[in-house]
Amino acid sequence: MKKIILALLLTWCGVQISTQQYRQFSPSIYDSRLCYINQDLTAAFRSSTYQFILPLYKSVGARSNLNFVLSPNSVWIIVAAIAEGADPVTQQKLFQLLSVPKDPCVRQVYYQLATTRALPSNDVNIKNTRVWLFDDGTTINPTWHDLVVSNSLLEVVRAPIRHNPIATANEIKRIMSASLPRLNLSGNSVILDTMDYNGLWSTAFADAVIERAPFYNLQRETIGAVDIMRVQRRARMTYSEKLQAKIIELPVGADGRYRILFGTIIGNIDLASVVGKVTGDLVLEIIGSLQPSLVPIDVAIPRMVISSEIDMRVVLEDLAVKELWTDPAVTRYISNPPALPSSFVQRTTLVLNNTGLEYAYPEPQSAYSTRTGLDPILGREFIADRPFLFGLFDAETWACLMSAIYTKPTYTFVKK
C-alpha cells in the first residue's frame, strides 16, 4: 500500500513510475528515517570534503588559466547524490572519492551538514541550485528520488530533451538563471549547478575610499587596473611559509557567520606551484594559525564580480569518474532507461562590494603606534593588488563554499 501511495505521489509531481518498475530497482538504498547518530561528526565531515575538493580545485585551476570561482561543496553534494543510486562497484568508487563512510546513517549526517551551510539571509544572499534534468521519457527510481530530495541533495526536474530542444533550452535557462550554457544534450539527462553570492561584510569598507589602482602580476609588472576598497581595521592574519603568502580573514554577515580568507603571494614563487601545494591539512593549519592584530591593519581588496562556467564533467573525468557518462549499468538503479548525463555544468558568481553591517570607526592615532602582535613579515597592511587566492567558508564547520583565484583585473593594459 505504501509503495502504491508513493508511486501516485511521485506521478502527481511529474515523476513517472510503475509498481512493476519499482520492484526492479535495487533495495539497497537505505531508509534515512531509521537513522540516529548521537555524536559530533563536524571534523570528520570537514576532512571528507577537503579530501575531495582540493583535487577538484587543482583540476579547475589547471583548466582555467588560474582565474576562476568554484563552488566545491556543491559538487561534493551532487556527486554524493549520484553515488547513492549508483551500481555497487561505482558506488564504492564514488564513496572513496568523496571520502565518506559506508555507514549510511553517518553519511546522512554529512549531508545535513553539507546542505545547511549556504542558506540565504537578509545580510548574506547565497543561492545554490542543484538539478538533475531528465528527459520526459525517463522513469525515476522513487526510493532514490525520495532519498536525494528529502536530504536536499538534488532537485529532479523533467524536460523534453529528446523531442523539443527549444523547450529544453528554456527550462535550462530558467534553472541556471542566465543565458544558455554550453551543453551537450546527446544523452537523456544533464546536471546543472549554480551558486551565487552577494553578502554584507561584518565591517564595511569605507564608502569614500574606492579608487582606481594598478594591478600587478607576480613579477610586479602592471597588467591592469581595479577598483580598490580600503579600510583600517583589526583582523586575524597569518603567514604561510609553504605558500609564501600573507593570509587575512574577513568576517561576513551577522556575527561573522561566514569568513572569507584572502591570500596574497609575497615570495618569488609561481602561482601554479602555490596551487599545487595547497592541501586540506595546510588549509586547516592556516585557519588554526590565524592571530588577531592588536592594532588596525590597512586592508585593500578589489571590488569585483567574478563568474565562471565550468564543465564539471571533464573535471570529474580528471578525477577518474568516467563510467558515469557512458555506461548505462552505472545508473540502472537511478532510472529506467538508465540515466546517461551528457553534461554537468556549474555556473558560479561571486560579488565583492564595500557594503557591510557596521561602519569601521577610525581609531585614535595612539592605536597605531603599538606592536601588531603578528609575525613581523606581515607588516601592517594587506594589499591585494596582485594575483591572490580567496575562499568563502562557513564559520561553524569551516566547510569551503566557494574558492577562487583572481589574476585578471577588470581593466587590462595591452603592451605595445
Side-chain angles (χ1 to χ4, degrees):
M1 185 63 180
K2 290 181 179 179
K3 293 179 180 179
I4 295 174
I5 293 173
L6 178 60
L8 289 172
L9 288 172
L10 291 172
T11 302
W12 179 75
C13 293
V15 180
Q16 298 177 5
I17 191 67
S18 73
T19 303
Q20 180 179 4
Q21 289 168 326
Y22 180 94
R23 295 194 187 101
Q24 294 174 357
F25 289 120
S26 169
S28 62
I29 299 177
Y30 69 97
D31 186 345
S32 61
R33 294 169 296 181
L34 303 178
C35 290
Y36 177 75
I37 299 289
N38 186 24
Q39 66 182 103
D40 186 356
L41 296 174
T42 301
F45 157 73
R46 180 175 57 238
S47 176
S48 289
T49 58
Y50 279 20
Q51 289 184 57
F52 171 77
I53 68 178
L54 267 303
L56 189 80
Y57 174 79
K58 293 173 183 179
S59 175
V60 172
R63 290 180 172 277
S64 64
N65 294 320
L66 299 176
N67 191 84
F68 68 92
V69 59
L70 162 73
S71 177
N73 185 65
S74 191
V75 179
W76 187 93
I77 293 171
I78 290 174
V79 175
I82 296 169
E84 290 293 350
D87 75 283
V89 174
T90 304
Q91 183 177 75
Q92 291 309 307
K93 179 180 177 179
L94 293 179
F95 283 165
Q96 290 176 4
L97 178 66
L98 296 168
S99 298
V100 297
K102 294 181 180 180
D103 186 335
C105 294
V106 174
R107 294 201 305 274
Q108 185 188 11
V109 175
Y110 283 18
Y111 300 159
Q112 290 171 344
L113 288 168
T115 57
T116 55
R117 297 308 93 196
L119 298 176
S121 63
N122 292 332
D123 52 315
V124 180
N125 184 16
I126 299 180
K127 183 180 179 182
N128 187 199
T129 302
R130 300 178 297 274
V131 171
W132 197 336
L133 184 71
F134 288 85
D135 181 65
D136 279 341
T138 306
T139 302
I140 310 298
N141 174 355
T143 310
W144 173 81
H145 177 274
D146 181 59
L147 187 152
V148 299
V149 172
S150 63
N151 283 285
S152 301
L153 301 180
L154 272 177
E155 295 179 53
V156 176
V157 178
R158 311 183 68 80
I161 296 175
R162 294 294 196 191
H163 62 273
N164 194 333
I166 295 177
T168 300
N170 289 334
E171 181 65 8
I172 292 170
K173 285 192 287 186
R174 181 193 67 80
I175 293 168
M176 301 295 281
S177 300
S179 59
L180 188 67
R182 296 184 296 273
L183 286 175
N184 176 353
L185 294 176
S186 62
N188 63 1
S189 66
V190 292
I191 300 171
L192 308 171
D193 184 21
T194 69
M195 183 78 149
D196 297 294
Y197 166 86
N198 190 348
L200 296 176
W201 302 101
S202 299
T203 301
F205 284 79
D207 287 336
V209 191
I210 296 178
E211 61 188 44
R212 176 79 67 218
F215 193 85
Y216 307 95
N217 60 20
L218 292 181
Q219 290 72 47
R220 299 302 295 174
E221 299 170 329
T222 302
I223 58 173
V226 292
D227 290 334
I228 285 283
M229 309 181 292
R230 295 185 180 273
V231 69
Q232 290 183 330
R233 55 160 299 167
R234 299 170 193 262
R236 296 209 305 164
M237 294 182 67
T238 191
Y239 173 71
S240 172
E241 184 175 358
K242 188 167 187 178
L243 302 182
Q244 297 183 37
K246 286 184 179 184
I247 293 98
I248 192 170
E249 174 197 78
L250 298 180
V252 172
D255 301 319
R257 172 68 178 81
Y258 301 97
R259 312 292 172 88
I260 298 185
L261 298 187
F262 293 88
T264 58
I265 312 303
I266 62 174
N268 184 21
I269 185 172
D270 179 68
L271 186 58
S273 175
V274 171
V275 173
K277 293 175 184 292
V278 177
T279 65
D281 289 341
L282 180 59
V283 173
L284 293 177
E285 177 185 314
I286 288 171
I287 293 169
S289 66
L290 289 165
Q291 296 294 323
S293 62
L294 300 178
V295 303
I297 299 295
D298 291 327
V299 181
I301 300 215
R303 182 170 58 177
M304 73 174 77
V305 177
I306 181 170
S307 185
S308 294
E309 182 183 298
I310 299 171
D311 185 344
M312 205 55 66
R313 170 176 171 171
V314 299
V315 174
L316 289 174
E317 287 176 339
D318 288 345
L319 304 184
V321 180
K322 300 180 184 295
E323 299 84 357
L324 170 66
W325 325 103
T326 56
D327 185 356
V330 169
T331 56
R332 65 185 185 273
Y333 300 133
I334 290 178
S335 66
N336 183 23
L340 283 176
S342 49
S343 290
F344 178 0
V345 172
Q346 181 184 88
R347 180 195 55 75
T348 311
T349 302
L350 180 143
V351 179
L352 293 184
N353 211 331
N354 60 306
T355 51
L357 295 174
E358 296 182 4
Y359 179 70
Y361 292 98
E363 299 201 33
Q365 191 61 35
S366 59
Y368 297 84
S369 60
T370 59
R371 299 180 63 180
T372 65
L374 302 172
D375 187 329
I377 197 171
L378 295 171
R380 292 173 176 263
E381 65 179 22
F382 183 92
I383 312 297
D385 61 356
R386 71 203 75 176
F388 59 91
L389 297 76
F390 64 104
L392 173 69
F393 294 83
D394 160 61
E396 181 182 356
T397 64
W398 283 102
C400 183
L401 305 181
M402 303 179 87
S403 55
I405 299 177
Y406 185 82
T407 58
K408 295 181 180 179
T410 306
Y411 302 93
T412 57
F413 296 150
V414 178
K415 294 183 178 180
K416 296 182 179 180

